[in-house]
Amino acid sequence: MAGENSKNDVAVYPPKTRRLWPSLLRWIPTSTEHIIAAEKRLLSLVKTPYVQEHVNIGSGPPGSKVRWFRSSSDEPRFLNTITFDSKDDSPTLVMVHGYAASQGFFFRNFDALANHFRVIAVDQLGWGGSSRPDFTCRSTEETETWFIDSFEEWRKAKNLSNFILLGHSFGGYVAAKYALKHPEHVKQLILVGPAGFTSESDPKAEFIMKFRATWKGAVMNHLWESNFTPLKIVRGLGPWGPNMVRRYTDMRFGTRAQGEILTEEESRLLTDYMYHVSAAKASGELCLKYIFKFGAFPRIPLFHSASEWKVPTTFIYGFDDWMNYEGAQEARKDMKVPCEIIRVPQGGHFVFIDNPSGFHSAVLYACRKFLRPNTDNESLPEGLTSA
């Protein structure tokens, strides 16, 4: 079992209060303590020792315009972080999860990647085991700043620089925005099925546009603009929520898996973990309507900023990823830095779960110049495709 060490924690959980009802009768049977415990159980599958800590990012710099910094409370916020053992000279790889997820979703990848990197995975503000302050942002700019600036405070607290930054899906959107604002700290950007590169003018978006024109689409669009998130359904089901999550896990990573099916133990532990991170207080998830339109179309597509890119970038997509890699191709046309697009077989949007070995090969290839000398003529690993 992987080691877990919290001696460096700087955040303190609120004191437990006496409950009137047994925990089994509570409507939403979860808490921050449940999340951390579920994370520990899931990471028992990982053999590499790790340290878990709550990194204090403060209550915000004086005069900040970011709403989470302007809390009426001076209570410090923290980001839940895990760091895996590595060789002293290993390059640092920071991994950022996507929407409705958290760092534990990379459980199939930590062992393989820790053989080559100092791996650090972090729960974004308002997600997973991190602080979940009230989400009071009211614009795209404020929402982006919520994630970018909280991540920057975390980087300062961890004293990191010159690292490789990997982000999945919405985490890819945040990673790209962070690298645009703070390119001096990132030496390589890896975007895995990133959100933010699709457009309503994309031919593959035609189905969504037609659906939006129907009465069902109009209702769904209204719910979206009302900031009704999928996780509210999980909370609304209360004690029946875990069963709903189990059905999703069994379907997405079992009967309809696009690659390597989860084992029974993996499925059980991931379901447990996924439920707790989904059912906890709504916070970061409320970013959805401010970043995307219905259909996951970005309000400000990232390829509009492609000419400003200053960090070498590798895009990684599963062959069956519903995110369109053609958006990355469009962005690459305007980039003035090296850019590669790699497609991994037998993988969908969660390519790192569907085909972990293929995903690892893609990451190692993307980072080859930091791992091996004389890589100028190195060919793409077998099975992977360059777009």
Side-chain angles (χ1 to χ4, degrees):
M1 180 187 296
E4 186 268 345
N5 184 339
S6 58
K7 65 181 180 180
N8 296 321
D9 291 2
V10 293
V12 178
Y13 292 125
K16 294 182 179 179
T17 56
R18 185 177 180 182
R19 299 188 177 98
L20 296 177
W21 301 94
S23 60
L24 289 177
L25 297 181
R26 292 168 57 218
W27 182 249
I28 303 177
T30 192
S31 66
T32 302
E33 294 94 330
H34 280 88
I35 293 172
I36 300 301
E39 175 185 279
K40 186 176 180 180
R41 289 191 292 271
L42 178 63
L43 295 186
S44 70
L45 299 172
V46 180
K47 298 178 181 179
T48 308
Y50 68 92
V51 173
Q52 180 265 333
E53 59 182 330
H54 294 142
V55 178
N56 191 333
I57 60 173
S59 55
S64 173
K65 295 182 180 180
V66 184
R67 287 181 183 266
W68 75 270
F69 286 153
R70 294 207 302 266
S71 170
S72 59
S73 169
D74 291 329
E75 174 190 358
R77 311 298 184 186
F78 63 88
L79 297 191
N80 187 39
T81 306
I82 50 177
T83 303
F84 291 84
D85 282 359
S86 64
K87 298 177 182 178
D88 292 338
D89 58 348
S90 299
T92 297
L93 173 66
V94 176
M95 305 180 74
V96 183
H97 63 83
Y99 188 87
S102 42
Q103 62 193 12
F105 277 62
F106 295 116
F107 73 97
R108 275 187 159 183
N109 316 119
F110 290 137
D111 279 331
L113 296 179
N115 285 328
H116 304 274
F117 305 95
R118 177 194 179 204
V119 176
I120 305 176
V122 58
D123 284 336
Q124 298 189 70
L125 182 67
W127 290 104
S130 292
S131 291
R132 293 180 178 239
D134 293 337
F135 188 87
T136 54
C137 297
R138 292 295 178 267
S139 70
T140 300
E141 181 183 9
E142 284 186 338
T143 303
E144 290 178 351
T145 302
W146 157 292
F147 292 104
I148 295 169
D149 283 11
S150 59
F151 184 84
E152 172 61 3
E153 293 302 308
W154 173 85
R155 183 203 64 79
K156 292 176 183 176
K158 290 290 288 180
N159 193 28
L160 293 175
S161 193
N162 201 34
F163 55 88
I164 301 161
L165 180 57
L166 181 153
H168 170 243
S169 194
F170 175 69
Y173 182 93
V174 173
K177 287 287 184 175
Y178 177 84
L180 281 166
K181 187 173 182 179
H182 299 284
E184 68 276 12
H185 300 304
V186 182
K187 63 181 180 181
Q188 176 77 25
L189 188 61
I190 302 176
L191 304 179
V192 184
F197 286 90
T198 54
S199 169
E200 290 174 294
S201 61
D202 188 319
K204 294 185 178 180
E206 184 178 355
F207 170 79
I208 295 295
M209 303 304 292
K210 289 182 177 179
F211 176 72
R212 190 189 293 179
T214 67
W215 71 266
K216 291 182 181 179
V219 171
M220 294 292 289
N221 187 65
H222 175 73
L223 289 174
W224 184 283
E225 294 299 330
S226 300
N227 224 358
F228 183 88
T229 70
L231 304 187
K232 290 184 178 180
I233 300 175
V234 176
R235 293 187 196 94
L237 289 173
W240 293 277
N243 189 52
M244 175 187 176
V245 176
R246 179 187 59 77
R247 290 182 180 180
Y248 169 79
T249 306
D250 288 346
M251 178 182 68
R252 173 59 185 81
F253 303 110
T255 56
R256 296 187 183 179
Q258 292 162 310
E260 184 180 325
I261 296 175
L262 295 181
T263 66
E264 183 177 341
E265 183 180 22
E266 286 177 325
S267 181
R268 175 176 58 82
L269 294 176
L270 180 60
T271 297
D272 173 52
Y273 176 68
M274 190 183 301
Y275 169 73
H276 289 298
V277 300
S278 299
K281 173 187 173 181
S283 180
E285 74 188 69
L286 299 175
C287 71
L288 200 58
K289 64 169 286 188
Y290 298 107
I291 301 294
F292 304 106
K293 301 176 185 178
F294 177 63
F297 299 113
R299 296 191 182 276
I300 305 177
L302 278 168
F303 50 73
H304 290 174
S305 304
S307 62
E308 304 169 27
W309 233 256
K310 296 180 181 179
V311 178
T313 302
T314 299
F315 293 86
I316 299 176
Y317 292 88
F319 270 24
D320 299 311
D321 196 331
W322 63 274
M323 288 292 184
N324 189 359
Y325 71 91
E326 293 176 359
Q329 290 178 316
E330 286 298 312
R332 182 171 56 185
K333 294 176 183 178
D334 295 324
M335 288 186 184
K336 300 178 177 64
V337 294
C339 175
E340 299 176 313
I341 303 173
I342 301 174
R343 301 184 69 200
V344 180
Q346 297 181 314
H349 192 52
F350 290 94
V351 61
F352 47 91
I353 294 179
D354 295 328
N355 185 355
S357 60
F359 172 73
H360 302 152
S361 293
V363 172
L364 295 178
Y365 181 77
C367 300
R368 58 195 181 279
K369 64 182 179 181
F370 308 117
L371 300 172
R372 299 178 293 278
N374 305 319
T375 60
D376 292 343
N377 298 318
E378 188 169 325
S379 58
L380 194 67
E382 185 178 356
L384 304 183
T385 301
S386 178

